[in-house]
Amino acid sequence: MRAAIESMNGARFVHDELERLGWEVEVADAQKVKGLGPLACKTDRIDAWVLAELSRRDLVPAVWLPGFEQRQERERARWRLFLVRKRSSLKHRIHAQLLAFGHTCPVSDLFGARGRKLLARLEFPEPWHSGVLAAVQMIDELDAEIAAIDKELKALGADHRYIPLLMSAPGIAWILGYTIAAEIGDITRFSSPKKLVGYTGLCPRVYQSGNTDRRGPLTHAGPKYLRWALMEAAVHACRHQVYAARYQANKKRLGKQRGAKVAQVDIARRLAEAIWHMLTRNTTFAPAGATRALAA
């Protein structure tokens, strides 16, 4: 038995259940299916017929699905990022309440020992005072949860083949290394560095018609968590001696308004290319110039 499912929320669960029953299942890219079968009238029955016909002709534009173990790795890294963002949101909210009622922040870390004492003695009207105290309590709970996840990720990442290689690149520590390794999965599914860069969604859109060739905004295709990890790494890598000159040159060329951001995206693309070479060849990070010097 064969089945084709359009990519949607819950498609992965249906895919796993049907495979468990012995079916041969493919998950079709919804956008590509729409391009292959553009119809004036679109209903669920017609969609099912289009998928069945594509499956019969072996033309299903199937998407790659990670295995269960890799999905576990991704979920751990994504859950940590979700908690970190919630913690940051609560901290921003507390800072906003201080500003709203004219309280200054004389300490460098509002959530350290001195900062906690400051928050305890500040006077707020209700319900803002209770809200600040509740936010501080939730931050403590999130800190404990994130620390437990960090410990788990360190233990799980100790035996991962990709993580030591990724940590040799500028701007990548073990948390970003674990996230990047989990989001990429098997590096052999990318035949070239350009394929990996395209998967990250860090490439600009291309509009071509005749002799016209224009570049638009980033495609934002692929997993957003991989894109986030590469951009985080690029923020630190742009100060590294390998990429500093390129970053500063692009930043100066593009101007103050958008130069820094676009230059960071360029460094993130360079990191993605370096990661492909590192994981494919099973070698640590080596700049192109150093590689040529060693070869000579």
Side-chain angles (χ1 to χ4, degrees):
M1 299 292 293
R2 299 181 63 184
I5 310 170
E6 196 171 81
S7 56
M8 59 181 179
N9 187 28
R12 194 169 290 170
F13 170 77
V14 177
H15 172 275
D16 293 345
E17 287 296 308
L18 291 178
E19 273 201 340
R20 185 176 60 83
L21 296 174
W23 286 48
E24 182 182 340
V25 188
E26 292 178 306
V27 177
D29 188 318
Q31 291 297 324
K32 292 183 179 179
V33 169
K34 185 178 180 180
L36 289 173
L39 300 170
C41 178
K42 190 175 187 301
T43 65
D44 289 343
R45 184 182 294 274
I46 293 176
D47 285 345
W49 177 84
V50 170
L51 287 174
E53 189 65 18
L54 291 175
S55 179
R56 185 179 69 84
R57 301 187 183 191
D58 291 327
L59 294 176
V60 176
V63 299
W64 176 81
L65 286 180
F68 183 73
E69 183 177 349
Q70 186 178 348
R71 296 208 301 270
Q72 287 179 313
E73 294 178 358
R74 286 184 172 186
E75 181 59 26
R76 291 188 182 98
R78 292 175 179 183
W79 176 242
R80 182 191 181 280
L81 177 58
F82 174 81
L83 295 181
V84 169
R85 286 176 172 172
K86 291 299 181 183
R87 182 180 63 182
S88 299
S89 177
L90 290 170
K91 289 182 177 181
H92 294 329
R93 183 177 179 83
I94 292 175
H95 279 287
Q97 298 296 349
L98 289 177
L99 292 174
F101 289 96
H103 295 297
T104 60
C105 182
V107 296
S108 59
D109 183 9
L110 184 60
F111 304 98
R114 292 179 59 196
R116 297 300 179 92
K117 293 179 181 179
L118 175 66
L119 288 173
R121 65 173 182 265
L122 287 180
E123 294 184 0
F124 287 91
E126 292 294 343
W128 293 275
H129 183 263
S130 299
V132 168
L133 296 180
V136 170
Q137 183 179 357
M138 286 189 283
I139 288 172
D140 291 338
E141 294 174 356
L142 288 173
D143 283 338
E145 185 69 24
I146 292 170
I149 296 174
D150 288 347
K151 185 177 180 180
E152 181 183 12
L153 294 185
K154 279 187 176 180
L156 294 172
D159 299 328
H160 202 294
R161 182 173 70 88
Y162 289 167
I163 295 178
L165 301 177
L166 292 169
M167 289 176 62
S168 66
I172 300 179
W174 68 267
I175 292 178
L176 289 181
Y178 187 96
T179 303
I180 293 172
E183 295 296 334
I184 289 178
D186 187 5
I187 193 62
T188 58
R189 63 193 182 99
F190 302 104
S191 58
S192 68
K194 290 184 178 180
K195 295 290 187 181
L196 177 58
V197 174
Y199 178 70
T200 64
L202 293 171
C203 296
R205 297 181 185 274
V206 179
Y207 302 94
Q208 291 180 333
S209 178
N211 296 326
T212 303
D213 190 334
R214 295 183 295 109
R215 298 295 188 271
L218 299 182
T219 61
H220 291 105
K224 62 180 181 180
Y225 299 96
L226 176 59
R227 192 162 51 254
W228 166 83
L230 288 172
M231 288 302 299
E232 283 289 312
V235 171
H236 303 284
C238 65
R239 296 191 292 268
H240 193 273
Q241 59 181 357
V242 176
Y243 296 119
R246 182 184 180 91
Y247 170 76
Q248 292 298 335
N250 284 330
K251 180 180 176 181
K252 182 178 180 181
R253 177 175 59 87
L254 296 167
K256 293 182 179 180
Q257 184 173 359
R258 56 192 292 269
K261 188 66 175 179
V262 176
Q264 287 176 0
V265 173
D266 174 69
I267 298 301
R269 286 197 293 262
R270 299 281 292 184
L271 277 174
E273 292 177 359
I275 286 171
W276 184 88
H277 289 289
M278 291 159 54
L279 301 186
T280 302
R281 301 172 183 174
N282 197 28
T283 58
T284 57
F285 178 80
T291 305
R292 287 195 294 268
L294 289 173

